[in-house]
Amino acid sequence: MSVLRTLQGTPASPGIAIGPVRVLSSQQRSKPLPAGERVPAQELARLRAAQKQAEKEIQEIYERACTEVGEGDSVIFQIHILMLQDEGFQQMIRKSIVEDHASAEYAVWSAGRKLYQMFSNMEDEYMRARSEDMLDISRRLLMCLNRQTPSLDFQGNYLMTPAVLCLTQAVPSQIIRTNHSQVLALVTQYGSSTSHSAILARGMGKPAVVGLGEHFKDLPRGEGQVIVDGTKGVVIVNPTPETLEKYTRIMSAESSRRADLAAFKGMKTMSADGVRIHLLANINSMAEIQMALENDAEGAGLVRSEFLYSPDHCPTEEEQYQQYSQMLAQMGGRRVIVRTLDLDSNTSYSYLDQEQEANPAMGLRSVRLCLRHRDLFRTQIRALLRASVYGRLGILVPFVNDGEMFRQIRMWIQSLAEELKREGKEISEAVSIGVMVETPAAALQAHELAREADFFNIGTNDLTQFTLAVDRENRQLKSLYNPSHPAVKRLIAYAARAAHEAGIPVCVSGEAASDYSMLRFFLRAGIQYLSAPPPYILELRREIGRLKVRGKGNGGQ
């Protein structure tokens, strides 16, 4: 008798699917052998021809992807071409051919394997997810060298009947080559929610669960049915009739909700009586950029740059430049506000000389920490300024309490911009520099700060906890943590008024930005931008459209 089992993985693409399983192998079976002494000149010629063919094939995949998942998601394959052309990768291959007289196949396999392992062992989740891209392009190059090379053991790409596609490790080109109309959902043994395969699954609207690990072997082979819940990251094997009925109802309700919200895509966000507001997205990882675009965000109002840092790895200027450049390019000219580093005050970082603090939330954190560690701050600002040419960048400085501190920071950023110009680096002249209003002091100094800043972002999470003297992480005080408290709202309104008088934009981020009960207050206070998690964007647009806000306060003017 079949027994119901719930397998836990990582949620990678939201939604629910029910259906039979198709488990396909996607791992390389064996390495290409060196095959004795080879003539380097001949192997290098073969390599150049194969690379040219690989670039052509990836370009064709890109064009197909543009049609099937849209241009935003398809940029993945343009990145693959750049990775294929990367001088470091090419140099590793050529060295093996020239110095070891290896076959081009073996040289590609060896270099791809080394880089795959390097990415796989990185601390940062986003960088770790690049291992599958390395796997994809090295397999592509191997296939172009020799169509008989067993580098793409992926039989039955085109599913003939609807099924849940289960792969040991998915790579982007496999996802695009598969018959999407027959794929109900994607499940993988390895992988990350930040991987490009996961991004493609989201672009196709397919539920996905990745990283099942050893539980992958528990998926049914042959006969058997599963429920894939991409929102919770679970796969239910052999569901009971009661479980099937429950999830069928959930699917029906979710389908209706999505259809309703889809009608709001492409619309301006406007109250029922004509007050305009812009909805931006909070970004906590590279994966959320695509989620923001899918939910029709008008930009990124708060990019928390801490996701690039781990306790044991401080990203270099070049690493940060690559990430910020990609982010700005993917946002396609939309406004992107990156908050400067605000590391978790409760975490120990190997590259910082931290001392234990009795009250870290009010201690050496955020811009205070950056000013103590100027090299850390300098690296981030230089990377941001270099990346600015790829889009509309705003740099947001958190934890500033007075105008003098902000003036000094602004002058220092401007000096780094001049330094980059002297080095011959191109930067945008339109980079804006703003203040995060998240302490009572900053709110009460808002008129002074507004004379110095290009924009305000009101961070309601910290502003609430500092105003009410309530630790928002303390569960015992949960009932006292209240962003709609009159004192908090008064500070928000005061800061918004100062911004309007100075003629600079003002945005609200934090949990309160997605609180429907606060919307009327925000619009009446004259807040022009709200920045919320991507899944809230369309629902906020719908709720704002139902409101009438004029008649009190400044009516949003």
Side-chain angles (χ1 to χ4, degrees):
M1 179 179 177
S2 298
V3 179
L4 180 147
R5 294 197 62 185
T6 299
L7 312 179
Q8 183 66 56
T10 301
S13 180
I16 295 169
I18 301 172
V21 163
R22 181 72 183 279
V23 180
L24 301 176
S25 171
S26 61
Q27 286 192 312
Q28 189 167 308
R29 284 199 298 251
S30 60
K31 65 181 179 182
L33 297 175
E37 291 288 314
R38 295 296 181 98
V39 179
Q42 293 177 356
E43 296 305 297
L44 289 172
R46 292 181 64 230
L47 176 66
R48 287 191 294 270
Q51 176 155 345
K52 186 175 181 180
Q53 179 62 27
E55 290 174 11
K56 179 183 176 183
E57 291 183 9
I58 297 173
Q59 180 64 27
E60 290 171 354
I61 294 173
Y62 166 73
E63 292 169 2
R64 174 174 172 177
C66 284
T67 303
E68 298 185 1
V69 298
E71 191 171 351
D73 288 327
S74 303
V75 73
I76 290 164
F77 297 104
Q78 297 288 6
I79 295 168
H80 278 203
I81 292 176
L82 293 175
M83 290 178 73
L84 182 64
Q85 296 169 338
D86 180 74
E87 183 57 28
F89 179 46
Q90 291 297 318
Q91 203 168 39
M92 289 174 71
I93 299 170
R94 291 196 298 266
K95 182 179 179 181
S96 183
I97 291 172
V98 173
E99 295 184 5
D100 302 329
H101 288 208
S103 67
E105 288 90 343
Y106 183 84
V108 169
W109 175 86
S110 178
R113 181 171 175 270
K114 287 176 183 176
L115 291 173
Y116 172 81
Q117 291 177 337
M118 182 191 78
F119 281 117
S120 297
N121 293 327
M122 285 186 173
E123 291 287 341
D124 179 67
E125 184 185 4
Y126 178 80
M127 294 304 292
R128 202 163 56 242
R130 299 290 68 76
S131 61
E132 76 168 30
D133 298 300
M134 198 65 242
L135 189 66
D136 202 0
I137 65 169
S138 58
R139 286 176 170 179
R140 173 72 46 194
L141 192 50
L142 280 170
M143 288 293 287
C144 290
L145 279 166
N146 185 345
R147 293 296 174 181
Q148 303 305 313
T149 301
S151 58
L152 284 171
D153 181 18
F154 187 69
Q155 305 304 317
N157 300 335
Y158 298 90
L159 302 180
M160 301 307 294
T161 56
V164 173
L165 180 61
C166 301
L167 301 169
T168 309
Q169 182 166 21
V171 293
S173 62
Q174 291 172 341
I175 302 302
I176 290 299
R177 287 190 301 135
T178 305
N179 188 351
H180 302 162
S181 64
Q182 304 298 343
V183 177
L184 300 176
L186 176 68
V187 175
T188 70
Q189 181 174 4
Y190 306 110
S192 159
S193 61
T194 64
S195 72
H196 282 150
S197 294
I199 291 172
L200 288 173
R202 288 193 287 272
M204 293 187 294
K206 305 293 184 181
V209 175
V210 299
L212 277 186
E214 62 180 18
H215 297 302
F216 189 80
K217 69 179 185 303
D218 297 323
L219 292 169
R221 266 67 170 175
E223 296 297 323
Q225 192 174 46
V226 298
I227 297 173
V228 178
D229 187 336
T231 305
K232 294 182 179 179
V234 299
V235 179
I236 300 173
V237 179
N238 299 320
T240 63
E242 293 78 16
T243 304
L244 281 170
E245 183 181 356
K246 170 189 170 183
Y247 274 90
T248 300
R249 288 197 305 269
I250 293 172
M251 288 174 66
S252 178
E254 179 63 16
S255 178
S256 298
R257 189 187 75 87
R258 286 187 181 183
D260 180 38
L261 292 178
F264 291 88
K265 285 189 176 182
M267 294 175 59
K268 288 184 178 179
T269 305
M270 196 89 68
S271 71
D273 51 355
V275 177
R276 176 78 164 101
I277 195 162
H278 302 269
L279 294 180
L280 311 175
N282 294 338
I283 302 294
N284 298 308
S285 70
M286 291 295 288
E288 291 188 8
I289 297 171
Q290 193 55 41
M291 291 176 62
L293 295 174
E294 290 167 2
N295 285 278
D296 205 30
E298 296 174 69
L302 178 62
V303 177
R304 295 181 171 97
S305 61
E306 300 77 50
F307 76 87
L308 294 174
Y309 298 75
S310 70
D312 297 316
H313 178 66
C314 180
T316 65
E317 180 181 321
E318 192 62 29
E319 287 174 333
Q320 293 188 60
Y321 164 70
Q322 294 293 339
Q323 301 291 306
Y324 297 138
S325 299
Q326 183 179 340
M327 180 185 300
L328 285 160
Q330 282 188 254
M331 289 300 289
R334 296 172 181 82
R335 181 181 171 98
V336 176
I337 306 299
V338 179
R339 185 180 69 183
T340 59
L341 189 59
D342 189 3
L343 292 174
D344 180 5
S345 52
N346 293 308
T347 299
S348 177
Y349 296 85
S350 62
Y351 42 89
L352 299 177
D353 55 335
Q354 295 166 282
E355 296 180 7
Q356 189 170 2
E357 296 180 279
N359 191 352
M362 295 188 183
L364 189 64
R365 54 166 288 198
S366 196
V367 75
R368 298 172 181 174
L369 180 71
C370 289
L371 291 175
R372 172 72 67 88
H373 297 273
R374 287 283 180 135
D375 287 347
L376 190 74
F377 201 16
R378 180 176 183 273
T379 297
Q380 181 177 37
I381 297 300
R382 280 176 57 94
L384 282 166
L385 291 173
R386 287 174 57 198
S388 65
V389 295
Y390 290 91
R392 294 175 57 201
L393 174 67
I395 298 175
L396 177 63
V397 185
F399 233 60
V400 172
N401 284 334
D402 59 73
E404 179 58 32
M405 174 186 273
F406 184 73
R407 270 192 297 275
Q408 292 179 13
I409 293 169
R410 181 164 196 142
M411 289 174 61
W412 189 62
I413 293 174
Q414 289 170 344
S415 72
L416 290 177
E418 294 302 319
E419 177 181 277
L420 286 167
K421 289 178 184 176
R422 288 194 298 272
E423 294 174 10
K425 302 285 196 306
E426 185 181 359
I427 65 172
S428 171
E429 297 296 333
V431 177
S432 55
I433 306 172
V435 167
M436 191 150 199
V437 179
E438 54 188 337
T439 66
L444 293 171
Q445 289 283 298
H447 283 86
E448 180 189 0
L449 287 166
R451 288 194 292 270
E452 306 292 337
D454 295 322
F455 63 92
F456 276 175
N457 185 311
I458 302 175
T460 57
N461 294 350
D462 270 345
L463 184 61
T464 300
Q465 79 166 345
F466 293 141
T467 301
L468 303 180
V470 173
D471 180 0
R472 59 192 174 99
E473 303 295 337
N474 190 328
R475 293 182 180 180
Q476 299 179 83
L477 303 178
K478 187 176 180 180
S479 62
L480 299 179
Y481 179 80
N482 179 19
S484 63
H485 188 285
V488 179
K489 292 171 78 172
R490 188 170 297 176
L491 290 173
I492 292 172
Y494 187 80
R497 185 162 60 250
H500 283 293
E501 290 176 3
I504 64 172
V506 57
C507 175
V508 166
S509 61
E511 294 174 14
S514 53
D515 183 345
Y516 302 143
S517 68
M518 294 280 285
L519 291 176
R520 182 175 277 106
F521 161 71
F522 288 143
L523 270 68
R524 284 178 174 168
I527 300 299
Q528 300 152 309
Y529 298 84
L530 290 176
S531 189
Y536 288 90
I537 301 295
L538 293 175
E539 292 194 54
L540 284 169
R541 183 169 294 160
R542 179 181 61 186
E543 293 303 310
I544 290 170
R546 295 170 175 172
L547 293 177
K548 290 187 177 181
V549 298
R550 295 186 186 275
K552 293 184 180 180
N554 61 16
Q557 300 302 305

